[in-house]
Amino acid sequence: MLNSELKKSLISIFGPNGFADSKEDCLTYSYDATSLNYLPDAIVFAETAEQVSALMKLADRHKVPIIPRGAGSGYTGGSLAVNGGIILVMEKMNRILQIDQDDMFVIVEPGVITGQLHAAVEKLGLFYPPDPASMEFATIGGNIAENAGGPHCLKVGMTVDHVLALQWVDPSGNIHNTSNRNLLGLLHGSEGTLGVITDATLSLQPNPTSESTLLAMFDSLVDAAGSVMKLQLLQPVALELVDKKMLEIVEQAF
């Protein structure tokens, strides 16, 4: 899919160290957490919104698919080059740009690891609620593109409920800044099909000063499931169900 003119243009945008198309590099970015595998034609590594904009304009002219990618930890196939094209890796855009303790918000680039954001704001007595299971390696941009949740979403909602504004680049290469709730709702969960996120303003909360864990035993899965609505009266942060088979596996492991 990449002719010499397009390849030369990509190198001019991202530099020789920000472009790769060897078989080995393409294989590295050909899969995610699913069992699926699709080989891209090339990989580029963005460091600025302006580079993303230039890429989208170039791809629009040449009709080449662009597939944004964070950590590649998703289970939906959103970061796979199903029809070939160029993988746009966002991992170098990994700066926490601002933490405002007074107004309790943070501005981050899309490649920031969710777990690292948690650690950074918790040092200041603040809390970013979304906690997907993969947060120790998943990125904020990927969380937004997939509208990630986590155990805490029971109480505090999904990622979309904690994003105040986004900077994003549309398929024509235009850079937008939006805080419109309807548009934010469209971008969340769109898996990069509507645009590429280049920074995000996220709301924070005071860090909880204490927590306690309650263990409840049930005679059957039916009884456990039936208790969920009653447990809501306690306003739990998270609920986890561990069945008999899983307990046996844990016992064997330890």
Side-chain angles (χ1 to χ4, degrees):
M1 185 177 292
L2 299 187
N3 56 43
S4 58
E5 177 191 353
L6 181 53
K7 181 174 178 178
K8 183 178 179 180
S9 297
L10 290 170
I11 293 173
S12 72
I13 295 170
F14 296 96
N17 294 325
F19 171 85
D21 64 348
S22 71
K23 184 68 174 293
E24 294 78 9
D25 287 317
C26 289
L27 282 170
T28 300
Y29 291 93
S30 67
Y31 60 90
D32 60 3
T34 69
S35 60
L36 304 174
N37 190 292
Y38 296 93
L39 204 66
D41 294 286
I43 307 102
V44 294
F45 300 84
E47 296 186 47
T48 67
E50 289 70 27
Q51 285 181 324
V52 176
S53 174
L55 172 66
M56 300 305 283
K57 291 176 181 177
L58 181 67
D60 188 38
R61 289 199 305 272
H62 290 268
K63 306 304 178 188
V64 177
I66 300 296
I67 305 93
R69 181 183 175 100
S73 59
Y75 282 91
T76 67
S79 62
L80 296 176
V82 177
N83 296 308
I86 301 168
I87 296 286
L88 170 59
V89 181
M90 308 300 289
E91 63 187 28
K92 289 187 176 182
M93 297 183 67
N94 57 7
R95 295 178 300 163
I96 297 176
L97 301 173
Q98 179 184 356
I99 300 177
D100 190 310
Q101 294 178 254
D102 295 328
D103 292 327
M104 291 195 294
F105 70 83
V106 59
I107 303 176
V108 300
E109 292 183 323
V112 170
I113 304 293
T114 308
Q116 292 176 356
L117 174 62
H118 274 250
V121 300
E122 286 169 12
K123 288 179 181 178
L124 303 174
L126 299 171
F127 177 54
Y128 175 64
D131 60 337
S134 58
M135 72 176 186
E136 294 306 320
F137 46 88
T139 64
I140 291 294
N143 290 172
I144 294 170
E146 299 286 340
N147 195 21
H152 286 161
C153 72
L154 172 72
K155 183 178 180 68
V156 298
M158 307 290 281
T159 298
V160 67
D161 299 302
H162 303 277
V163 176
L164 301 174
L166 291 175
Q167 181 187 81
W168 60 287
V169 182
D170 68 27
S172 297
N174 302 303
I175 300 176
H176 304 271
N177 291 280
T178 185
S179 58
N180 181 282
R181 297 308 301 174
N182 291 329
L183 186 52
L184 291 177
L186 281 174
L187 292 169
H188 280 76
S190 65
E191 300 184 28
T193 58
L194 301 181
V196 182
I197 297 156
T198 49
D199 80 36
T201 303
L202 313 172
S203 63
L204 302 174
Q205 298 179 7
N207 199 15
T209 56
S210 63
E211 64 180 37
S212 20
T213 302
L214 171 68
L215 173 65
M217 308 292 288
F218 299 91
D219 293 328
S220 70
L221 287 176
V222 173
D223 291 340
S227 72
V228 170
M229 295 308 297
K230 294 178 181 179
L231 288 171
Q232 295 293 333
L233 296 173
L234 301 175
Q235 295 186 320
V237 171
L239 291 175
E240 294 281 358
L241 173 64
V242 183
D243 61 18
K244 181 179 179 181
K245 184 63 177 179
M246 183 55 65
L247 282 174
E248 292 173 352
I249 293 172
V250 172
E251 288 176 354
Q252 293 171 7
F254 294 95

